[in-house]
Amino acid sequence: MQKYECPCGYIYDPAVGDPENGIAPGTAFEDLPEDWECPTCSLGKDEFTPVD
């Protein structure tokens, strides 16, 4: 699954999810709620870029 990086350096890894914010492991970035925000800096998911 594709990982995505926030400009602040936080990387969303679908294998890990974001359990502290109710996102289960295995949740693809595309399946995150539209109002999901970076848990580190609160930027919206539209600010994230794919990571190789």
Side-chain angles (χ1 to χ4, degrees):
M1 288 181 129
Q2 178 73 53
K3 295 179 184 178
Y4 285 79
E5 183 173 10
C6 182
C8 79
Y10 171 83
I11 295 179
Y12 177 76
D13 182 350
V16 176
D18 182 15
E20 293 175 1
N21 291 297
I23 306 299
T27 303
F29 187 81
E30 295 80 13
D31 295 333
L32 291 171
E34 285 303 315
D35 62 352
W36 181 83
E37 297 176 337
C38 174
T40 302
C41 73
S42 298
L43 281 177
K45 62 185 268 192
D46 58 333
E47 300 293 327
F48 283 64
T49 55
V51 176
D52 290 329

